[in-house]
Amino acid sequence: MAGHDAGSQHQFTGFQKYFNAYTITGRRNCVLATYASIAAIVLFFKLKPKKQTPAITAK
Amino acid sequence: MILSFFDQFMSPTHLGIPLIALALSLPWVLIPTPTNRWLNNRLLTLQGWFINRFTQQLMLPINLGGHKWAVLLTALMLLLITLNLLGLLPYTFTPTTQLSLNMGFAVPLWLATVIIGMRNQPTAALGHLLPEGTPVPLIPVLIVIETISLFIRPLALGVRLTANLTAGHLLIQLIATAAFVLLPMMPTVAILTSTVLFLLTLLEVAVAMIQAYVFVLLLSLYLQENV
C-alpha cells in the first residue's frame, strides 16, 4: 500500500506501545482487545442471573 | 400455461435429469485443448496468448506464495466468461444467474483467502482490520465496521454477479417483448425499441465479460492482502 509508514518513526511508550493505530502489532492488539471486549459484554449479559419478580397476588 | 418473465431463470431439468450439469460442462467442451504440435492454429494461438497475458496481469501484484492460485483463477475466469457469453444466445440458460452457483464459487474461495491469511501471517491479517492512523475514539467503531465489511465480501461477490446477469437478461426479455408487441400497432416505436434492444445487447456482452473479470480480480485482491 503506497503512502503508509511502517510505524517505525513513532516511538511509543507505556500503554501506547502495545495499543496504537500505527504499528501492525499495535493495530492487531487493538483488534483483539475490541473482540475480547465484545465477547465479554455478550457473555456478561448471557450469564447474568434473571431477576425473579414475585407473583402479583389478587387484590 | 402462463409464462412469466422469470421462467428463463428456472434451472432446466429433463425427465428428472438436471441439465445445469450439461450447461456447466459446455465451456470445457467449447474451449479447444492445446495440441503437441510445434505451431498450433490461429484459434489455439490466440487462446494461449490470452491465457498467458491474463495470468501474468493477474499475478503481477501478488507475492510468490499466491502464485499457486494462478491456474485456479484463470480457469475460473475462462469458465465465467464463457458461461456469461453463451447465456446471451437466445433460449440459452445462464448458470451464473443462479445465486447458489455464484455463492458456491464466492464463499469457499473467499474463506480460503481468509484462512490462508490467518494461518501464515495472523498479525498482519488481524492488523488490516484497523486502518492505519485512525483517531483513538474511532478505533472500536472502525474495527466493527471493518469486520462487517470482511464478512460482507463473499455475499457481495456472489450477489454482484447474479444481480448483474439476471437484471441484464430480464431487461433484454422485457424490451424484446415490448418491441414484439408494438410491431403491429406502432411500427416506428417498435423500431426505436429494437434499436434500444440492440444497444442493450451490446452492453450485456460487455457486462458479461466485465463481471467475470471483476469477480476474479476481487478474489485476487483478497488473496493479495492475505498472502
Side-chain angles (χ1 to χ4, degrees):
Chain A
M1 279 178 257
H4 82 130
D5 64 1
S8 48
Q9 59 238 55
H10 298 271
Q11 301 297 328
F12 292 115
T13 50
F15 184 76
Q16 281 225 301
K17 191 170 167 203
Y18 299 101
F19 295 94
N20 65 77
Y22 291 94
T23 59
I24 194 77
T25 46
R27 284 151 72 189
R28 178 203 69 188
N29 292 338
C30 285
V31 170
L32 290 173
T34 309
Y35 286 167
S37 321
I38 294 173
I41 295 170
V42 166
L43 266 174
F44 171 73
F45 281 105
K46 259 193 154 6
L47 298 173
K48 198 167 87 161
K50 297 238 178 337
K51 272 182 267 190
Q52 297 281 350
T53 51
I56 300 169
T57 52
K59 285 184 225 158
Chain B
M1 188 185 95
I2 300 167
L3 217 63
S4 92
F5 285 107
F6 289 97
D7 282 347
Q8 62 177 313
F9 301 122
M10 269 177 32
S11 192
T13 54
H14 181 65
L15 300 174
I17 307 166
L19 295 175
I20 191 167
L22 205 70
L24 283 171
S25 54
L26 212 56
W28 172 70
V29 166
L30 288 173
I31 294 172
T33 10
T35 64
N36 46 11
R37 288 178 175 185
W38 190 11
L39 286 171
N40 290 311
N41 60 27
R42 266 172 287 210
L43 180 62
L44 264 173
T45 312
L46 186 67
Q47 179 185 280
W49 169 84
F50 174 73
I51 290 175
N52 281 332
R53 195 94 172 96
F54 176 80
T55 315
Q56 179 205 356
Q57 283 296 312
L58 196 69
M59 291 291 131
L60 261 176
I62 301 179
N63 293 330
L64 200 62
H67 287 192
K68 47 180 99 150
W69 281 63
V71 178
L72 175 66
L73 290 176
T74 310
L76 182 65
M77 167 68 174
L78 281 176
L79 178 73
L80 289 177
I81 202 172
T82 315
L83 287 176
N84 290 350
L85 286 173
L86 281 176
L88 286 169
L89 299 169
Y91 292 105
T92 322
F93 173 68
T94 321
T96 38
T97 54
Q98 306 295 302
L99 185 65
S100 52
L101 184 91
N102 296 333
M103 293 302 280
F105 280 134
V107 175
L109 292 173
W110 161 83
L111 193 61
T113 61
V114 170
I115 290 175
I116 284 173
M118 287 292 170
R119 265 191 72 199
N120 297 351
Q121 38 182 54
T123 304
L126 282 171
H128 280 317
L129 286 170
L130 177 62
E132 197 176 329
T134 315
V136 175
L138 283 174
I139 288 177
V141 179
L142 261 174
I143 290 175
V144 171
I145 290 174
E146 288 286 328
T147 311
I148 293 173
S149 87
L150 178 73
F151 283 97
I152 286 264
R153 277 179 182 178
L155 229 80
L157 264 179
V159 172
R160 183 185 300 110
L161 187 55
T162 311
N164 268 288
L165 261 79
T166 310
H169 281 69
L170 212 58
L171 262 175
I172 285 177
Q173 189 167 20
L174 282 168
I175 294 180
T177 310
F180 185 68
V181 162
L182 282 170
L183 198 56
M185 293 193 290
M186 294 182 268
T188 327
V189 181
I191 289 169
L192 280 170
T193 317
S194 305
T195 317
V196 172
L197 180 64
F198 175 69
L199 293 171
L200 181 68
T201 311
L202 286 179
L203 176 73
E204 284 309 312
V205 170
V207 164
M209 294 191 281
I210 289 168
Q211 286 305 319
Y213 174 61
V214 160
F215 192 95
V216 172
L217 182 73
L218 282 170
L219 269 172
S220 78
L221 266 152
Y222 302 153
L223 181 67
Q224 188 188 335
E225 276 182 11
N226 286 304
V227 92

